[in-house]
Structures are given as structure tokens and as C-alpha cells.
Amino acid sequence: MPVISPKDVAPPASRPPTSKLSAGLREQVRRLERAHTAQRAGRSAVPLDLPEIDALLPDGGLLAGALHEIEAGPAPSGRVAPHDGAALGFAAAILGRFTPGTILWCRQPSGVFDAPPYAPALAAWFDPARLLMVTTRREEDLFWAMEEGLRTPGIAAVLGETRAADSTAGRRLSLAAEKNGVPALLLRPQPAPPQSVCTTRWRVASAPSPKVAGIEMLGAARWQVELRRNRFGTPSCEEMPSWLLEWNDEAHHLAVVSQARPGSAGAGWRERLAG
Amino acid sequence: MRAGEKDWRARAAATVVWRDGCPRLAALNPQARTTGLSVHMRLADARALVPDLVTADGEPEADRKLIEALAGWCDRYTPWVAVDPLGSALAEEDATQVCSAGGFGGDAGLLLDVTGCGHLYGKEEAGERTLLADLVERLARHDFTCRAAMADTAGAAWALARYGEKQADLFCPRNGQRDALAPLPVDGLRLDPPILETFLKLGLRRIGDLYPLPRAPLSRRFGEQPLTRLDQMLGRVDEPIEPRRPPPAFRSRISFAEPIGRSEDIAAATSRLLAALCKQFEQASVGARKLEVALYRVDGSVDRTAIGTSRPNRDNPKLMKLFEDRLGELDPGFGVELMILSAPEVEEWTGAQDHLPETGTPAKSSWHEDGTIDLADRLAIRLGVENVTRLMPHDSHLPDRVQTNAPLATPVQAGAWARIAAMKGTRPTRLLQKPEPIDVTALLPDDPPRQFQWHRHTHRIVSVEGPERVADEWWRPRPGGRLMPANIVPPVRDYYRVEDNDGGRFWLFRDGSLNTAKWYLHGFCA
């Protein structure tokens, strides 16, 4: 069983202040990238309404005309989870930010254990009547359908569920998204090799819900979200910034859970689990 | 009609099939008929009459396919093409019941309703004559010997094609069938063999012999058939032709002086046909749901391809875009001499008016205004209609029935999903199509689960929410088709939302009563 644990990497809790020279270079690179992006049409960023995260993203939100990748991360124990309910929830939360219009959802059914997205749950984030579902057998059909969707006016967002990591297809999707100003999302049920040209890459794992002492009830859903790639964005003091998000199912509200030690996300519940 | 080798033409020839325990003649050429042979005759008897009879094994299936292909070829003249039911019945087992379709030529036949089609070839009667000549000539080019006759009624044309003596008789002028048919033998009436035999015994040999007979005694003696056939033939009773393929209400055609073969030419011709058809749609205030383009190749074969749209459409560029993928599949063969674009399915136009600026703001709740429907059509052409769907809500207790995939055209009520989502408890973001059996450990049979095992991995459950009891819908028929008996408690499911020690959230349920309960994993929660 592959054991991937991002937490094995020691969090750079207290990075020494960067030298003046490197800060200047960083700023220069950013300005070059900005100049590059400004030429592209249909650039607009949609904020996630999570101030902590939006602060790091370019233009204060998710770029609309860009490719974003969301992958299901391993569980806290390091085991690769056989499901991606949390990653799908996070993807749906992002999709819900892009209104109005049709959402094109492309997927490859995975045989016997096929578990398609379930609309009564998705209704928390957006109206499932907006969904146009496409199932394909081959991955090239899936990428083709996504590209067609990106080119169509009236499409709010395009999501593709796939295990395939095709860098050419990723580049094409990214270009089509940039050209039309429509976001393309890739939802991966398992961590994929980092090779695609996405603007942001997120790793989402489900985290234990908050416990109330003495009651064995299930609390609000919590996700450990890690921003593994943030092109054009504000550099963070960490290598890979990470947050614990909480989804309130009653209030339909997503919020960042402030942790005892910001920067070493998840340390709190790891200790609790160990103990 | 029969394509054959050259030496068959000069000598008596027949095909032979095994029927009623001995080989019998199935089809004859004109020479064989003049020597007194007939269909259904035993091969032994035939050989006694004509010792040098050329025989070949009959292939009813191949004959049927050939006549079907010819019927497809005849679509070039009219959409109303039917395979003659009497001719095709000859290939079947109880063929003795059918009248002996004798006379000249073979047995299989095609009926074409060319009403209003002659104008493509000339004015009024001249056009119809040219059409007939064109048909015979083109078939002869493909090495078919055929006899074609044209008359006001199908019955008259049938009789003329088989029993007309002179070439000039084969075209029956308007309202001339009474005189034209009088000298023909009664065989031309399409009667059952017993009636035909009695007629011959009574000395009624010509169709004209029946004209002066009083109708009442005739029907009393022979039943309805002779009178019905006579009336159909003379046009007193309508005899509709049942077309092989439902005739499209809208079609446009283009014929080429020089056969074309390049795919660009075919695309250009399709685009021209489409423009003509869209104009027809506009006049009739309809839109196409299905379009079919047919290539008539020089070798007499036909290749077709079709596109479907999810709403009535008459937007020329959009339809052309749908065709673009399909045209590549068409094989022009040695060249295409004729193309026909038809709309087998049309619906009343519901879209916006053409060439008029938007006035007011109609309800834009549907997908029709943006590009979604067009996108869906494009995707459906490549991926199949069943793979491009939208999610349809159902008022149901059973979680697997709440969500179904529906075709695009089905409207989803605004807010229907939100209402359903608000009614139920927290639902998983993914639902397994088939619940997975799992091993569950619980303290007591009706206690919430403590741990479960799935895919050889043990999940220790930390917290539980539930149960949520879902009863089976007793009012729905079982898979066997029967309703559930009233005295049996319907099976219930107890759903639990659980979280394991790894932070994963699952949706489990216990099925059945407590003693025989089985546990299943049904979904993955956010």
C-alpha cells in the first residue's frame, strides 16, 4: 500500500527572514508573470470568501480562466483513502462560486465500485439542475469533452474526474480555459504526479470532525486543505500552506478553523490522535 | 428482376428451393415461362418438360436483401417506396397461398408512389414518362432486367408491369386504366389461387370480362376479394402504399452531372442542402430533431448517416457543425451522383424567431438561450446520447432512487433539488451505484456499528450519526412484477453516517430485520 504523508516533511515553522536580494528577485519575477497574465483575455478571479486563502491567491481569488487541480490526499494515518468524498466536497464548493451558467461534469465510470456524485449533497453548494453530466469510457474523450465545454459560451465551469495525468491534455485544457475565461477543474481521486500546468493544485483530505466531550455525535465535516501549487500567487512563508476547513452543513458556510499554531497545520489533531 | 450471367438470358432458367419435401422452382426467367413452367413446380416435372433447363440454388435471404437494396436505391425518385408484399411473400414458407404472380419477368416487385415527383424530370405527363424511362435505363445500367409500368393506381401498375404485352402500354395515361387493363389476363388481379382457378374454369380469362358482371352475385360467390381488387385497380377504392421507411415530411435533393467523391465537395453539397431545408423549416414553422443525409453512389448502393438534436433546430451553421463529424464516416465509393437530405423527425419550432432582434426578456430559465444544448448535441454525437445527461430529482425515500439520469430535453423544476435536499438528512457526496457488503462489529444487534471492514481494511468508528430509518416503498411492484403482500412488514434500512479513526466519513446501512441484518456501505460523505 503506498504511503504518502505530506506531514513527514517538517513544516518550516520559523523560516529566517529572506535576504533583501532574493526578495527583490521574487518581486521582479512576479512582475514579469503579472505582465504576462495581463495580456490574457477574460482574467477575473473569484474569491473563495476565505480571507486566509484568498490573500495568497492571485487577484484575491481563484482565476476564472485557468486550470485548477484538486486531488484527494492521504488520510492522517498516511493511508491512501479509497474515496474522495472530501475532495469532491471542496471541488463542489469551488464550483458553487462560479455563477451563473451550466456546469459540465465529465467522468469516467470506474467499473463495479462506481460512485457517481450525489446531487442531494451537491445541492448544498449549487443547484444540481445546472449540471450537465457526461460519462466517457476513454480518457481522450473526457479531455475532448472538457475542451468542447470550455469553448462553449454559457458554461460556468468544467470539471473532469480522472486518474489520467496527461501533460499534453493538461496544457490544452489550460490554454482553452485561458482563452475563454472559464475555469477547468481536474478532480483526482488519488494523488497524481505533479506535472501538469495547473494554476493551483490543492490536496484535500478529510479530517476528524470536532468532538464534544461525552457526546458521540458526528460534528461538522472538516477538510485538511493544502495548496501545493500557487502560480502567480503571493508566496507564502511556508513551502506548502495548509488550512483546516470546516463545512457547516446547516448554515452552508465554509470557514477556516484557526489553529493553535498557525503554519503547522494539523499538528493539534495529530497529537490528539496519537494520544 | 434478376441480375444474371449472359447465357441465362437466352435459355430457360430457374432457381430452385427445397420446399414440401422436394426441390421446386422458385423463380423463372421469361424464356422458362414461355415453355410452360410455373413457380412451385417440382424440379423433376420441370426437367421432363424442359430438359436443358438451367438451374441455380435459390437464396431467398439474398433475394430479400437485394430487393431491399433496390428499394433503398429507388428512394432517389420518391420517399414512398414499398417492397411489393406479394412478391416478397413468395420467398416465404406458405407461398402457395399467394397468387401465382406470373407474366413477364420475375416475381419480386417494388411499388413507388411518384405522385408529384415527375416535375423533377419535366412537365406533367412528359415528366412522368421521363422518370419511368430513367428508372428502367439506370437499372439496366446495373445489369437488372426490369419491367416498370406507371398508372394511377398501384393495382393497375402491378398488372401492367407483369402482363402488359406492348411496351407502349406500360405507361397508362391518366384515368385510362379501365381500357388499358381490359385485355390483360385475370392473373393481373392479384387473386388467391383457388379463386383464380375457378375464374379460369368459368371462362373469365380477361380482366375486361369482369366489368359487365353484376357485383352482388360476384361477391356472394367469391367473397370480397375480387371486387376489392378490381376497385383498387380502377381507383374506386384507395390502396395506400406502406412505405419501407417512414417518408420524411421535409427533404431536399441535389444531383450532380459529374459524380463527386471528395469529402470537401460532399460537405459543400450538404451545406447547400441544409440551407434549402432550413428554409423549408422556416416556412412550416418547425425544427428538425433528426436529419439524415443519403449518398446515392454510381454503383447503385446507398450510404446514409444521421444526426440527432435534443431540441427542434433549424440553425444552419449549428446543424452543419453536427454533420461535420459524421460526414467523415461516409464512403463515396466510386462517386456520388445524387444526395438527399431529409428530416425524418421534426417538431414544432419552440426557439427564437429568426432574423428578428430579441424583444422583451422571455424566461431564460432553460438552457436553450446559451450554448449548453448545442454543446450537449455535439457531445452526444461522439459519445452517445445515453452518456450526456442531466440529473433528475425524484420524490422517493430510497436514496438510490432520488437521483436518475434523464435525457437533456427533460426540464428540471427550479428549486426541486433544493427542496429534496432540505427534506433529508446529511447525504454523501458520492453514492455507490451498488451498495457494497461490509463486515460490521456492533455491541448489540441494534446498536450503532463499532467498526467495519471493507476492502480488507478495518475502519474503527469514532463517532456515529443515526440511525435514519428508510422504509422500502411497498406500493411499488417488486422486481418480479408483483406487489408486496399486505401482511408482510416492508424491509427497512437503518442508515448511519459514521466517522472512522482516520477522519473518513462514510454512509452505512443495516438492511433487514435484526436477526438476519446485513450491512452495506452506500456512500462517501464530505
Side-chain angles (χ1 to χ4, degrees):
Chain A
M1 193 175 293
V3 175
I4 303 171
S5 175
K7 299 294 177 286
D8 291 347
V9 186
S14 55
R15 180 188 282 264
T18 46
S19 70
K20 216 171 180 185
L21 176 67
S22 76
L25 284 174
R26 256 180 226 277
E27 187 53 41
Q28 207 171 344
V29 168
R30 272 190 59 213
R31 243 183 283 137
L32 283 173
E33 281 180 335
R34 288 272 177 182
H36 183 49
T37 53
Q39 294 166 355
R40 296 173 182 167
R43 282 270 152 175
S44 64
V46 175
L48 296 177
D49 274 359
L50 300 165
E52 294 89 336
I53 300 180
D54 285 337
L56 295 189
L57 294 173
D59 298 343
L62 271 189
L63 284 182
L67 177 68
H68 305 281
E69 214 173 282
I70 298 158
E71 59 187 30
S77 70
R79 183 174 173 270
V80 174
H83 65 92
D84 63 338
L88 188 131
F90 184 66
I94 288 181
L95 285 178
R97 309 295 307 170
F98 292 95
T99 49
T102 308
I103 298 169
L104 180 68
W105 191 298
C106 311
R107 58 190 308 273
Q108 280 173 286
S110 54
V112 194
F113 305 122
D114 188 32
Y118 192 49
L122 298 183
W125 293 291
F126 56 86
D127 183 7
R130 285 170 63 202
L131 274 177
L132 176 62
M133 301 294 293
V134 171
T135 50
T136 65
R137 251 180 308 162
R138 301 179 306 164
E139 54 196 62
E140 54 262 42
D141 281 343
L142 182 120
F143 289 127
W144 170 80
M146 285 181 72
E147 252 186 78
E148 284 287 311
L150 289 172
R151 297 221 171 87
T152 308
I155 298 283
V158 176
L159 183 140
E161 275 179 45
T162 178
R163 281 166 202 269
D166 184 342
S167 56
T168 318
R171 193 172 297 275
R172 288 183 63 106
L173 283 179
S174 172
L175 286 175
E178 267 170 33
K179 198 159 170 228
N180 300 286
V182 175
L185 274 71
L186 280 176
L187 177 61
R188 301 192 181 282
Q190 277 179 2
Q195 55 170 4
S196 81
V197 290
C198 53
T199 305
T200 59
R201 182 190 289 121
W202 308 82
R203 177 173 281 188
V204 184
S206 58
S209 56
K211 301 284 180 299
V212 183
I215 304 173
E216 259 201 13
M217 277 297 281
L218 205 59
R222 280 187 173 184
W223 308 324
Q224 189 66 43
V225 175
E226 202 178 52
L227 183 56
R228 296 177 71 85
R229 187 189 160 94
N230 186 12
R231 210 169 157 214
F232 313 130
T234 316
S236 157
C237 60
E238 302 165 64
E239 189 92 22
M240 282 174 193
S242 170
W243 301 272
L244 187 63
L245 299 188
E246 185 172 293
W247 168 252
N248 187 332
D249 201 35
E250 263 90 50
H252 285 193
H253 180 66
L254 191 65
V256 175
V257 181
S258 57
Q259 285 159 314
R261 272 181 294 165
S264 61
W269 48 263
R270 262 198 301 147
E271 278 163 16
R272 193 157 61 217
L273 270 179
Chain B
M1 286 174 248
R2 172 164 299 282
E5 295 161 33
K6 290 283 182 259
D7 67 321
W8 285 48
R9 300 272 169 85
R11 294 162 57 193
T15 60
V16 177
V17 292
W18 195 271
R19 194 174 285 163
D20 296 338
C22 67
R24 287 172 191 269
L25 304 190
L28 306 168
N29 71 349
Q31 280 77 11
R33 282 184 202 270
T34 50
T35 52
L37 300 184
S38 64
V39 177
H40 302 304
M41 194 181 251
R42 284 185 203 161
L43 180 61
D45 298 344
R47 282 238 187 269
L49 274 169
V50 187
D52 63 339
L53 181 71
V54 180
T55 57
D57 281 337
E59 295 169 47
E61 190 54 30
D63 284 347
R64 199 185 53 73
K65 273 192 191 148
L66 178 69
I67 200 77
E68 280 288 334
L70 271 177
W73 180 87
C74 284
D75 281 343
R76 67 197 349 278
Y77 295 107
T78 169
W80 290 83
V81 179
V83 176
D84 182 7
L86 293 183
S88 58
L90 284 174
E92 283 163 20
E93 279 303 307
D94 53 346
T96 42
Q97 294 301 309
V98 178
C99 74
S100 70
F104 297 94
D107 301 310
L110 292 173
L111 293 170
L112 277 67
D113 186 345
V114 293
T115 312
C117 299
H119 74 90
L120 292 170
Y121 294 87
K123 270 190 183 151
E124 302 282 313
E125 206 181 288
E128 281 163 6
R129 275 183 194 276
T130 320
L131 191 152
L132 193 65
D134 183 75
L135 173 73
V136 175
E137 191 209 314
R138 280 180 190 273
L139 279 176
R141 248 190 257 160
H142 294 303
D143 213 11
F144 285 102
T145 312
C146 81
R147 281 171 60 87
M150 197 183 287
D152 283 357
T153 62
W158 195 93
L160 280 171
R162 283 174 173 74
Y163 300 98
E165 297 273 345
K166 283 178 286 180
Q167 193 64 38
D169 291 344
L170 291 185
F171 186 89
C172 176
R174 198 146 292 173
N175 298 325
Q177 60 266 38
R178 190 181 167 91
D179 300 332
L181 293 173
L184 298 189
V186 277
D187 307 57
L189 269 181
R190 299 180 288 172
L191 299 172
D192 287 345
I195 302 180
L196 190 63
E197 241 167 71
T198 323
F199 270 20
L200 293 175
K201 273 183 199 157
L202 292 171
L204 299 168
R205 296 186 180 280
R206 307 266 149 210
I207 294 177
D209 296 344
L210 294 177
Y211 293 165
L213 293 185
R215 293 173 66 89
L218 202 62
S219 75
R220 211 177 316 132
R221 172 73 177 80
F222 297 102
E224 286 298 316
Q225 205 197 24
L227 284 177
T228 316
R229 290 296 193 199
L230 198 63
D231 288 345
Q232 283 176 347
M233 186 183 252
L234 297 177
R236 293 181 201 139
V237 170
D238 205 26
E239 185 188 4
I241 291 183
E242 202 174 298
R244 212 168 45 93
R245 307 149 55 80
F250 298 90
R251 50 184 239 154
S252 62
R253 48 175 280 157
I254 186 169
S255 55
F256 308 107
E258 201 59 28
I260 61 166
R262 294 194 318 148
S263 52
E264 295 88 344
D265 294 343
I266 291 176
T270 310
S271 146
R272 270 175 62 191
L273 288 172
L274 204 53
L277 209 58
C278 285
K279 219 165 266 167
Q280 289 184 35
F281 289 154
E282 213 167 300
Q283 275 166 9
S285 183
V286 294
R289 288 293 308 275
K290 200 176 162 199
L291 284 172
E292 190 190 71
V293 65
L295 303 186
Y296 291 77
R297 298 185 283 223
V298 280
D299 60 354
S301 52
V302 186
D303 201 4
R304 300 168 196 275
T305 187
I307 57 162
T309 64
S310 38
R311 60 159 174 164
N313 202 330
R314 63 173 183 228
D315 188 331
N316 192 347
K318 277 179 193 159
L319 289 172
M320 194 58 213
K321 208 165 160 50
L322 295 183
F323 260 122
E324 267 161 14
D325 286 344
R326 282 298 156 111
L327 289 178
E329 297 166 11
L330 288 171
D331 175 20
F334 296 107
V336 177
E337 51 178 358
L338 174 73
M339 278 174 68
I340 292 182
L341 181 71
S342 53
E345 276 177 42
V346 293
E347 260 177 33
E348 204 175 323
W349 179 250
T350 50
Q353 269 185 10
D354 314 77
H355 315 306
L356 268 180
E358 279 297 323
T359 50
T361 46
K364 293 224 174 193
S365 59
S366 67
W367 293 0
H368 292 183
E369 280 73 23
D370 57 28
T372 308
I373 285 285
D374 304 315
L375 169 70
D377 285 344
R378 277 207 303 286
L379 296 178
I381 290 233
R382 171 149 162 187
L383 306 172
V385 182
E386 68 283 354
N387 289 327
V388 183
T389 52
R390 66 191 308 189
L391 301 176
M392 184 62 62
H394 269 288
D395 273 327
S396 173
H397 298 307
L398 294 179
D400 12 17
R401 286 199 69 234
V402 168
Q403 166 179 328
T404 50
N405 288 334
L408 281 172
T410 338
V412 177
Q413 259 187 333
W417 275 117
R419 190 172 51 80
I420 283 190
M423 263 169 14
K424 321 276 183 197
T426 308
R427 288 287 179 257
T429 47
R430 281 188 190 279
L431 193 75
L432 280 163
Q433 294 241 294
K434 207 170 140 279
E436 281 277 300
I438 47 173
D439 290 328
V440 162
T441 316
L443 224 53
L444 288 168
D446 60 345
D447 264 11
R450 284 274 150 215
Q451 71 176 33
F452 73 93
Q453 206 163 16
W454 181 57
H455 279 199
R456 288 181 296 171
H457 184 86
T458 307
H459 299 262
R460 198 162 54 78
I461 293 168
V462 178
S463 46
V464 180
E465 189 180 278
E468 181 186 341
R469 179 155 289 196
V470 171
D472 204 347
E473 298 174 332
W474 54 265
W475 55 91
R476 272 165 38 84
R478 306 284 89 205
R482 278 184 300 177
L483 282 168
M484 195 179 297
N487 55 354
I488 291 183
V489 182
V492 290
R493 291 175 175 183
D494 284 335
Y495 276 93
Y496 292 92
R497 201 160 70 95
V498 302
E499 183 176 295
D500 71 359
N501 52 354
D502 239 358
R505 281 170 286 271
F506 303 86
W507 212 38
L508 317 178
F509 72 89
R510 179 177 49 211
D511 192 27
S513 57
L514 294 179
N515 301 328
T516 58
K518 286 200 188 84
W519 282 89
Y520 294 92
L521 171 65
H522 204 176
F524 308 107
C525 299

